[in-house]
Amino acid sequence: MKRLSPWWRASAVTAAALLAVTTASASAPAQTVQPAQPARPAGHSGTSGVSGVTGDSEFLEPSVSEGGASARHPQGDASRPGRNGRKAPPEFVALRSVDPTILQEMRYFTPHNFVGERIDGYRQPVCLLTRPAARALHAAQRKLLRQGYSLKVYDCYRPQRAVDHFVRWAKDLDDERMKREFYPRVDKSRLFEDGYIAEKSGHSRGSTVDLTLVRLPAKPTRPYVPGEPLTPCYAPRGERFPDNSVDMGTGYDCFDTLSHTDDPRVQGKQRAHRQLLKETLAQAGLVNLPEEWWHYTYKPEPFPDTYFDFPVSYRSLSSPR
């Protein structure tokens, strides 16, 4: 499979250098700034399906069908792009085209998630969002770069077929391969009742994003190896699966009350990091979900009542670049 590494992953790049790039992209938001790319560092894996800061790497479309079970399509006008078809409305963009400096680690393209396998609908490890949401992240990124931080996104637009995949998995009580890391203190039979899994997701409306902060220069992250021993997502940072994010008190997608943004047990630097992320994004118009420190939605949403199902792929966009 073909993979192109983003230039800022391949070396320790300063916040000043990234700020220069994001400033250039602000003056021409429809263009992708592509500085010269240094060679990939030794030890970097180009294999697909592993965890890591993937940037906007491009993968060839898989030829196999997804899931096996038929996906449930949301109700709506089938003639409108994106609802039941393969194309997104023109209001959707790749985050890369608006701000190429924001790091991307698209977890649901990899097996390092609470299901333990690539999720249906994720054809490429790319962040797709409505244009207003992408521009809001760009504004927040400019402020953070001046303080020596970068945003890193874990998930952006999420097709309905991916949500359906979560629902099928949650109903299979025998599949607990990722329990020790992602939901060690939650009985799987309670995932719906406790609100961790639902049949609809705001991500499918295109203006919700899961993200964190990374201190610059960003350090590389090692790939996740399926079947390796797992550590609880609420364990001390040095014991959790390594992530180049700052310490937020839990890992991403941790099904635990410690993930509540303002949980009083989270103090010190962990709380400060959460508040820096929350305050910066709020200034850009993004609203936090109190139960998840990583979950933000741009308001007002361009599509507040529409749940899309086009695949996560550059090919889904009206203007792929």
Side-chain angles (χ1 to χ4, degrees):
M1 288 181 136
K2 181 182 177 183
R3 181 171 184 168
L4 303 176
S5 291
W7 65 279
W8 52 85
R9 183 186 181 189
S11 61
V13 181
T14 66
L18 289 174
L19 183 59
V21 176
T22 195
T23 300
S25 68
S27 62
Q31 301 296 319
T32 299
V33 179
Q34 295 182 337
Q37 298 184 13
R40 178 179 295 167
H44 168 71
S45 171
T47 306
S48 65
V50 297
S51 178
V53 181
T54 62
D56 285 285
S57 308
E58 298 179 54
F59 285 73
L60 300 177
E61 294 271 3
S63 59
V64 297
S65 60
E66 299 164 341
S70 61
R72 183 191 325 104
H73 293 291
Q75 296 297 316
D77 179 6
S79 66
R80 177 155 181 112
R83 288 194 179 181
N84 294 328
R86 294 178 55 85
K87 288 293 185 180
E91 293 88 345
F92 277 78
V93 297
L95 178 60
R96 173 185 185 181
S97 69
V98 177
D99 193 315
T101 71
I102 296 176
L103 303 174
Q104 299 188 28
E105 183 180 339
M106 308 309 292
R107 284 287 186 92
Y108 298 140
F109 183 79
T110 81
H112 190 212
N113 58 65
F114 56 84
V115 177
E117 61 193 26
R118 188 195 295 189
I119 304 303
D120 290 357
Y122 286 82
R123 304 282 182 81
Q124 292 178 299
V126 55
C127 172
L128 306 183
L129 288 169
T130 60
R131 189 178 300 277
R135 286 176 171 169
L137 292 184
H138 171 70
Q141 176 76 342
R142 284 178 53 80
K143 292 182 179 180
L144 289 167
L145 288 176
R146 294 188 178 98
Q147 300 175 66
Y149 294 95
S150 174
L151 293 171
K152 179 174 77 170
V153 296
Y154 293 114
D155 192 37
C156 301
Y157 158 73
R158 181 185 306 165
Q160 180 63 40
R161 70 190 74 184
V163 180
D164 296 340
H165 191 166
F166 293 164
V167 169
R168 292 195 306 272
W169 165 81
K171 291 179 178 179
D172 181 2
L173 301 183
D174 293 328
D175 183 356
E176 294 189 327
R177 72 188 106 161
M178 304 300 285
K179 177 178 175 63
R180 179 166 173 78
E181 178 173 355
F182 291 96
Y183 54 107
R185 295 194 284 213
V186 179
D187 191 293
K188 192 176 181 183
S189 65
R190 293 187 55 87
L191 292 181
F192 290 103
E193 183 177 354
D194 290 350
Y196 292 112
I197 300 293
E199 294 190 354
K200 296 290 184 183
S201 170
H203 282 272
S204 302
R205 302 194 295 263
S207 296
T208 294
V209 59
D210 294 342
L211 73 176
T212 188
L213 294 174
V214 173
R215 187 72 183 180
L216 295 173
K219 297 178 180 179
T221 57
R222 73 168 178 82
Y224 164 75
V225 179
E228 70 174 88
L230 302 175
T231 302
C233 52
Y234 52 75
R237 184 186 186 192
E239 299 176 17
R240 299 196 301 263
F241 185 86
D243 187 329
N244 61 0
S245 165
V246 299
D247 188 2
M248 291 289 192
T250 75
Y252 169 60
D253 257 355
C254 187
F255 293 5
D256 196 275
T257 54
L258 276 174
S259 294
H260 293 189
T261 307
D262 295 321
D263 189 290
R265 294 169 293 177
V266 178
Q267 296 293 326
K269 290 184 178 180
Q270 299 170 341
R271 188 174 191 83
H273 292 151
R274 292 186 183 191
Q275 291 305 309
L276 175 60
L277 181 63
K278 183 178 179 179
E279 292 169 5
T280 305
L281 293 177
Q283 293 171 7
L286 290 127
V287 179
N288 177 239
L289 178 69
E291 290 78 19
E292 298 176 353
W293 59 257
W294 55 82
H295 181 117
Y296 287 83
T297 300
Y298 176 78
K299 300 287 186 176
E301 295 183 65
F303 300 100
D305 302 310
T306 305
Y307 296 83
F308 295 102
D309 193 40
F310 55 85
V312 177
S313 167
Y314 284 114
R315 294 182 184 180
S316 294
L317 298 176
S318 301
S319 299
R321 296 294 186 274

